[in-house]
Amino acid sequence: MITMKDIVLEGHPALRKRAEKLTFPLTQEQQELAKEMLEFLHNSQNPEIAEKYELRAGVGLAAPQLGKSIQMIALLVPGFEDEKPILNEVWINPRIMRESVKKACLKEGEGCLSVERDVPGIVLRSERITVKYQDVNGDEFVRTLTDYESIVVQHEIDHLNGVMFYDHINKTQPMYIPKGAVVIGE
């Protein structure tokens, strides 16, 4: 079971490296990692389990955050109320094929399981993206995402490219939101 002690923190070299593309079939170890990454997100969003194991809640986790420089991300974006999750899967070798010019951001800014400090600032991302990825079996998919889901996926793909969320924050005006940007959480 993955816990917070397994997650590497900012400053770890795996977080700044470009992750290796995976080939299929996945090894037994890679399949197990995919399962454990998704299980961590489920556990982190379960109040009782999260409290018992002192887990910070997460909606995404990238393999580099576990010190493994491979192109694998786990996503668990909850639905509204008791609806099933919007995203509940592991993506291998995800690549953004198209992105909108229109920007979106989270009103409160972004956080990261690999960053244990508060980093104030607005992270502008594309409001809509189209992503090509494979599942753990190697089947290929293309998916278009908007708003919150788009932001989550871009954050995780950034990890595969050695980019941290705060790299996107405007250094001179950290709270600047351009006119026309979609602000999520207002």
Side-chain angles (χ1 to χ4, degrees), residues 34-35 37-43 45 59 73-79 83-91 133 135 143 145 149 152-153:
K35 204 174 89 200
M37 286 170 64
L38 200 52
E39 178 188 58
F40 169 83
L41 294 177
H42 280 275
N43 290 341
Q45 291 181 29
V59 291
I73 62 174
L75 303 161
L76 180 61
V77 177
E83 289 179 22
K84 68 183 183 95
I86 296 165
L87 290 171
N88 180 16
E89 52 204 282
V90 172
W91 291 5
Y133 62 94
D135 66 11
R143 185 119 165 231
L145 304 158
E149 295 80 42
V152 170
V153 169

Side-chain angles (χ1 to χ4, degrees), residues 36-137:
E36 288 179 1
M37 286 170 64
L38 200 52
E39 178 188 58
F40 169 83
L41 294 177
H42 280 275
N43 290 341
S44 79
Q45 291 181 29
N46 178 310
E48 294 83 38
I49 296 173
E51 186 179 346
K52 180 179 178 180
Y53 294 102
E54 298 179 355
L55 305 178
R56 286 174 51 205
V59 291
L61 183 64
Q65 292 180 274
L66 298 168
K68 301 190 183 308
S69 198
I70 57 173
Q71 292 187 23
M72 179 186 292
I73 62 174
L75 303 161
L76 180 61
V77 177
F80 302 100
E81 302 298 320
D82 290 333
E83 289 179 22
K84 68 183 183 95
I86 296 165
L87 290 171
N88 180 16
E89 52 204 282
V90 172
W91 291 5
I92 311 294
N93 305 325
R95 220 169 80 231
I96 297 173
M97 308 302 287
R98 282 188 299 284
E99 51 191 356
S100 66
V101 173
K102 187 174 190 174
K103 297 296 179 190
C105 62
L106 299 179
K107 182 183 178 207
E108 302 298 320
E110 291 184 21
C112 179
L113 293 168
S114 292
V115 178
E116 292 188 312
R117 62 191 172 96
D118 187 35
V119 182
I122 297 300
V123 180
L124 288 172
R125 299 194 181 271
S126 295
E127 190 261 343
R128 172 189 298 263
I129 58 171
T130 299
V131 185
K132 185 179 193 176
Y133 62 94
Q134 292 161 289
D135 66 11
V136 292
N137 301 314

